[in-house]
Amino acid sequence: MSNMHRIRWFDSQIREGKYPSSTQLAQQFEISKRQAQRDIEYLTYSLSAPLLYVAKYRGYCYENKTYALPLLYMTDEEKKVLKYLAYRYRQYNYDNAASVNRVAHLLERFSEEETEELGQRLPIFETNPQLIHVFERLSYAISQLLVVRITYRDESGLLQLSIRPLKLMSQYNSDYVIAYCEEADKQRLLRLGSINSVDVTTAKFEPMDAETLEWGAGGTSAGSPQRKPYTAQVKLAQPLASSDSWHGYRIRSSTPEQALYTVEFHEIESFLHHLMVSDWEALLAPRWLREQLDALCTRTLERLGEGGAAKT
């Protein structure tokens, strides 16, 4: 049980005029009196509660009755981020999966449980606002069985698609939706990061099961992701503040003083897209990744050239 749960109880006892003490807190939750005293100290020093010990009642009250626990309230945006992180942690199935899945359960309940008690390092996921927006709209559409119109970018450019979203899933640091695509008349695996816009319509569709689609199917990626990660040698403009991650991609080893990093990734297309939009100075290795990035940039420039020629 988290200390915030105990603090909520302690706060409610004060507001009811019961003058709770560390002894009562310890008895209520079957913890040591020393732990109960630490909770009270946390309430005083970390949460800035105006606690006053009243000797007459052998318990505490608030000097300022307008005080409110600051961590009990979350904005809508914070709730969206927690919901997205809960989804990502719940999908995680690699190192320390059991511990990470327990964190997902805690996040879903909007608990303040301290994850350090799990004794494991949590994976890092980037909470991109656009990605969270897409995730939120698709989640709603799935729950309400609503047709969605999306703008989707793949190798051929931007596509306008009408889809029936069936299931969200995550794999290898990328998010996907299994959806029935009306234009293709089949189910496709679409990467959330490639969805530029989402328009949830009022058109309903009948419930249907999501098929198990193979990686690489439905225009998601060139080649199936591998369990063992690929690595890239990247030189950045300056050393990173964090030694663990570069925008959500894990750094296995690095030479930070020279801003040289070895970055791990599982999904090729997703990492190529990341390189297209991120700030870096040199992609040193591997050669095949440099060639794929060069080909992608060449195709992009050719399409721009064709667009300019068409206008003239």
Side-chain angles (χ1 to χ4, degrees), residues 231-233 283-294:
T231 60
Q233 301 290 328
L283 177 60
L284 305 177
R287 181 176 178 179
W288 62 264
L289 185 64
R290 289 170 51 89
E291 291 173 349
Q292 288 201 26
L293 181 61
D294 180 70

Side-chain angles (χ1 to χ4, degrees), residues 30-298:
E30 298 181 349
I31 59 176
S32 67
K33 189 173 180 179
R34 182 177 179 182
Q35 177 62 59
Q37 191 59 45
R38 283 202 296 266
D39 287 347
I40 293 173
E41 290 173 356
Y42 180 81
L43 178 59
T44 303
Y45 298 111
S46 297
L47 303 184
S48 303
L51 283 179
L52 175 66
Y53 184 78
V54 183
K56 177 181 178 181
Y57 297 104
R58 297 183 179 180
Y60 292 88
C61 69
Y62 287 143
E63 284 189 280
N64 183 352
K65 293 184 179 181
T66 63
Y67 171 78
L69 288 175
L71 297 185
L72 288 180
Y73 306 97
M74 282 181 283
T75 66
D76 289 339
E77 289 302 316
E78 289 169 337
K79 289 180 181 180
K80 291 176 186 178
V81 170
L82 282 182
K83 181 179 178 182
Y84 173 72
L85 288 176
Y87 154 75
R88 288 304 301 268
Y89 286 139
R90 191 169 58 250
Q91 296 281 325
Y92 187 82
N93 193 32
Y94 313 113
D95 297 338
N96 307 322
S99 296
V100 173
N101 292 156
R102 288 200 296 273
V103 173
H105 178 67
L106 294 172
L107 287 175
E108 286 173 334
R109 296 170 56 191
F110 300 111
S111 170
E112 301 293 343
E113 185 75 56
E114 295 180 5
T115 56
E116 289 82 357
E117 295 177 6
L118 299 176
Q120 303 288 353
R121 174 184 176 274
L122 291 178
I124 298 172
F125 298 128
E126 183 180 7
T127 55
N128 181 285
Q130 170 64 13
L131 196 61
I132 293 175
H133 170 73
V134 171
F135 167 80
E136 180 190 19
R137 303 306 296 151
L138 289 177
S139 296
Y140 175 76
I142 290 172
S143 68
Q144 302 299 315
L145 299 175
L146 295 174
V147 175
V148 177
R149 287 194 291 266
I150 65 171
T151 304
Y152 187 76
R153 180 181 297 278
D154 65 7
E155 295 85 352
S156 60
L158 282 177
L159 304 174
Q160 303 294 327
L161 302 176
S162 291
I163 64 171
R164 303 174 189 177
L166 306 176
K167 181 181 179 181
L168 289 162
M169 61 186 300
S170 177
Q171 188 73 291
Y172 303 105
N173 204 47
S174 291
D175 299 299
Y176 299 87
V177 59
I178 298 177
Y180 175 80
C181 180
E182 296 183 353
E183 286 79 4
D185 193 23
K186 66 178 182 180
Q187 289 190 22
R188 293 187 60 183
L189 195 61
L190 304 171
R191 190 162 64 85
L192 266 58
S194 295
I195 297 177
N196 286 16
S197 65
V198 178
D199 179 22
V200 180
T201 73
T202 57
K204 287 269 191 176
F205 64 86
E206 294 297 320
M208 55 193 303
D209 294 329
E211 298 176 2
T212 302
L213 302 177
E214 296 180 0
W215 294 107
T220 57
S221 63
S224 301
Q226 305 296 316
R227 291 287 297 183
K228 184 178 180 181
Y230 300 106
T231 60
Q233 301 290 328
V234 181
K235 178 176 175 57
L236 304 182
Q238 58 186 8
L240 295 172
S242 170
S243 60
D244 297 325
S245 168
W246 180 39
H247 297 296
Y249 287 94
R250 180 178 294 181
I251 299 172
R252 190 185 65 192
S253 60
S254 62
T255 310
E257 61 274 7
Q258 300 178 21
L260 294 174
Y261 295 91
T262 300
V263 185
E264 293 184 356
F265 64 99
H266 287 92
E267 212 273 317
I268 299 172
E269 181 186 342
S270 177
F271 190 64
L272 285 172
H273 175 75
H274 174 70
L275 291 173
M276 291 285 285
V277 299
S278 300
D279 186 21
W280 48 275
E281 285 195 352
L283 177 60
L284 305 177
R287 181 176 178 179
W288 62 264
L289 185 64
R290 289 170 51 89
E291 291 173 349
Q292 288 201 26
L293 181 61
D294 180 70
L296 179 60
C297 292
T298 299

